[in-house]
Amino acid sequence: MKLLLSCFEWTATILANELKILGYRPFDNFSTWLYVECKSIKDIWKLNLNSRIANKIFCEISNSTINNFDQLFDFAYGINWENYIAKWYKIEIDANIYNSTIDSKKSTQSIVNKAILKKLVWEWKQRFSDPKLRPVNILVQIIENKCSIFVNTSWESLHNRWYRVQVWEAPLKENLAASLLRLCNWHYKTPLIDPMCGSGTICIEAAMIARNIAPGLNRHFAFESFANFDKEEFENMKKELKSKIFQWNYEIVWQDINPKMIEIAEMNAKSAWVADTIKFECRDLFKTKQRNGFIVTNPPYGKRLKEYNLDGLYENLISLYKWNLGCFITSYENADKMVGYDFKIKNLNNNGEAVKLYLKK
């Protein structure tokens, strides 16, 4: 069974390392996805529950060589779609085509959609979709005339852990926060501080890593609607993961000048079961003292969030790194001039926005 795991650009290597830790061998890495082979449906459950970096996990349900649209229709029609699409669910189809005889994404989507609907109507005699239900996502990938059809097993992106009760403006996605922690090689026994915590995502992800809390324990997945889904076995897997949660003490500190932000972050931490793992401090960055440990933060960029003195804010932030390791991510244009030679700089993409990662050497 072949799985395709999508990810944000620049996180594919981090995702590959995560998969190796989980016991898998990723192959054919690209900038925004990679593949793994797995042996059973339980591997799909395991990866959806445990991956902190992936966006979505697609399972290949069939593959074939095709050279024209008639062959594509017959190929798609031959799949047992009733195993993956429950009654009343809408269908959404995406397509990736590279160096193939078929070269129209729109036509590919239309033909596969027609084949699926015809097959399901044949099986069920009638079919009406409920607009209130989340759609089933199908991915058609045609590379050099080799067609693979995948079904999304995750539903919405895995970055949504479902612990964020409230968010402030410009929140960092959860799997990007986890990627930053992995990229700067933070170890859970080392103190960590986010001096501008915002909604608290970085510290919550750090606390979940430290306590070995699987990121998917608090959400639902598309595979739960598949035919022959074994709910009892899945619940047993979740119970086993919960039994492996650590209860040790850690030094994870988040700060923000805005008491409302601390309140929001604390609510989110409670929802993620880690409020007792994090120390909350309402403190101005300009009054923050040096403390040993890693500093990882997502400071204001001066775009969506307006800041009175951004130059002063970044100067003070960078001074905190004098004796500390860690990183920060921003698109603030003056940051390059301030960091000097103490930081490695990487050009990244944060949810469609060009940003730079500053990694302390």
Side-chain angles (χ1 to χ4, degrees):
M1 186 185 303
K2 183 168 133 180
L3 303 182
L4 182 155
L5 288 79
S6 67
C7 61
F8 287 110
E9 191 175 0
W10 70 266
T11 65
T13 301
I14 304 171
L15 176 57
N17 291 333
E18 177 187 63
L19 291 169
K20 292 173 184 176
I21 293 172
L22 291 171
Y24 299 90
R25 293 183 177 181
F27 61 94
D28 289 350
N29 295 20
F30 295 88
S31 61
T32 57
W33 79 82
L34 51 76
Y35 301 102
V36 295
E37 291 284 352
C38 64
K39 297 180 180 179
S40 74
I41 190 69
K42 290 185 179 180
D43 289 304
I44 295 175
W45 304 351
K46 177 182 174 181
L47 287 170
N48 273 284
L49 285 167
N50 286 282
S51 180
R52 303 182 192 277
I53 311 301
N55 279 339
K56 294 181 180 179
I57 299 175
F58 295 83
C59 176
E60 184 184 61
I61 53 180
S62 191
N63 64 75
S64 179
T65 299
I66 61 167
N67 296 291
N68 54 59
F69 288 120
D70 288 338
Q71 290 178 355
L72 176 63
F73 181 91
D74 293 340
F75 167 53
Y77 183 80
I79 296 172
N80 294 324
W81 290 106
E82 65 276 11
N83 292 335
Y84 310 101
I85 305 173
K87 285 186 177 181
W88 320 121
Y89 280 84
K90 296 188 297 180
I91 303 168
E92 286 185 353
I93 299 174
D94 196 9
N96 296 326
I97 304 173
Y98 304 94
N99 195 27
S100 298
T101 305
I102 291 176
D103 60 1
S104 171
K105 176 178 178 178
K106 187 174 181 179
S107 297
T108 297
Q109 292 170 295
S110 176
I111 287 170
V112 172
N113 186 63
K114 289 178 182 177
I116 294 173
L117 293 178
K118 184 174 181 180
K119 184 63 174 285
L120 292 179
V121 169
W122 174 261
E123 293 291 336
W124 297 332
K125 308 307 178 188
Q126 61 178 352
R127 184 175 190 273
F128 302 97
S129 60
D130 185 344
K132 297 178 182 179
L133 295 174
R134 286 175 291 187
V136 177
N137 304 124
I138 307 298
L139 172 62
V140 183
Q141 193 173 76
I142 307 176
I143 301 175
E144 295 181 349
N145 294 334
K146 178 69 178 293
C147 180
S148 294
I149 294 184
F150 298 84
V151 61
N152 176 13
T153 68
S154 304
W155 255 330
E156 60 189 8
S157 174
L158 294 175
H159 85 262
N160 192 337
R161 325 286 204 216
W162 289 10
Y163 62 65
R164 292 211 285 210
V165 180
Q166 291 190 41
V167 296
W168 202 247
E169 295 181 62
L172 186 69
K173 290 192 184 315
E174 295 89 329
N175 53 355
L176 287 178
S179 297
L180 293 180
L181 292 165
R182 296 296 194 198
L183 195 60
C184 71
N185 294 317
W186 172 73
H187 188 270
Y188 63 88
K189 291 184 179 179
T190 305
L192 181 134
I193 179 172
D194 181 353
M196 289 172 284
C197 72
S199 301
T201 307
I202 290 174
C203 285
I204 291 175
E205 289 297 314
M208 292 177 69
I209 291 171
R211 295 189 56 186
N212 197 38
I213 298 175
L217 284 176
N218 205 28
R219 56 165 287 162
H220 294 285
F221 304 95
F223 60 73
E224 295 178 59
S225 70
F226 293 175
N228 302 320
F229 169 66
D230 193 328
K231 184 176 180 180
E232 183 177 355
E233 280 294 309
F234 182 57
E235 290 300 321
N236 287 337
M237 179 179 287
K238 290 169 70 175
K239 287 179 182 177
E240 183 179 356
L241 288 172
K242 289 178 182 178
S243 72
K244 296 179 179 179
I245 295 175
F246 301 150
Q247 303 296 334
W248 303 334
N249 293 323
Y250 308 94
E251 190 175 347
I252 298 173
V253 181
W254 61 27
Q255 299 176 349
D256 203 280
I257 190 174
N258 188 343
K260 180 64 176 178
M261 299 302 300
I262 296 293
E263 180 183 336
I264 290 174
E266 192 167 7
M267 284 191 293
N268 291 338
K270 287 179 180 177
S271 180
W273 313 329
V274 295
D276 58 346
T277 310
I278 302 169
K279 182 179 179 181
F280 306 87
E281 296 180 355
C282 187
R283 181 175 295 181
D284 187 344
L285 175 69
F286 291 89
K287 298 178 181 179
T288 298
K289 297 180 180 179
Q290 286 284 356
R291 61 204 305 172
N292 292 327
F294 270 68
I295 300 173
V296 181
T297 191
N298 178 36
Y301 303 172
K303 294 182 179 179
R304 290 183 293 271
L305 297 176
K306 300 299 180 183
E307 221 30 66
Y308 171 70
N309 181 9
L310 278 175
D311 276 345
L313 182 148
Y314 276 87
E315 287 172 359
N316 200 66
L317 172 64
I318 292 165
S319 72
L320 291 177
Y321 283 91
K322 185 174 182 180
W323 306 109
N324 302 81
L325 294 174
C327 64
F328 67 93
I329 183 172
T330 184
S331 65
Y332 186 53
E333 58 185 13
N334 290 342
D336 276 10
K337 305 173 186 176
M338 300 178 183
V339 297
Y341 296 101
D342 292 333
F343 287 78
K344 296 178 182 177
I345 304 175
K346 293 178 177 288
N347 293 311
L348 305 179
N349 186 291
N350 180 15
N351 197 27
E353 182 175 7
V355 297
K356 292 183 179 181
L357 171 73
Y358 296 84
L359 185 65
K360 184 65 164 34
K361 294 180 181 178

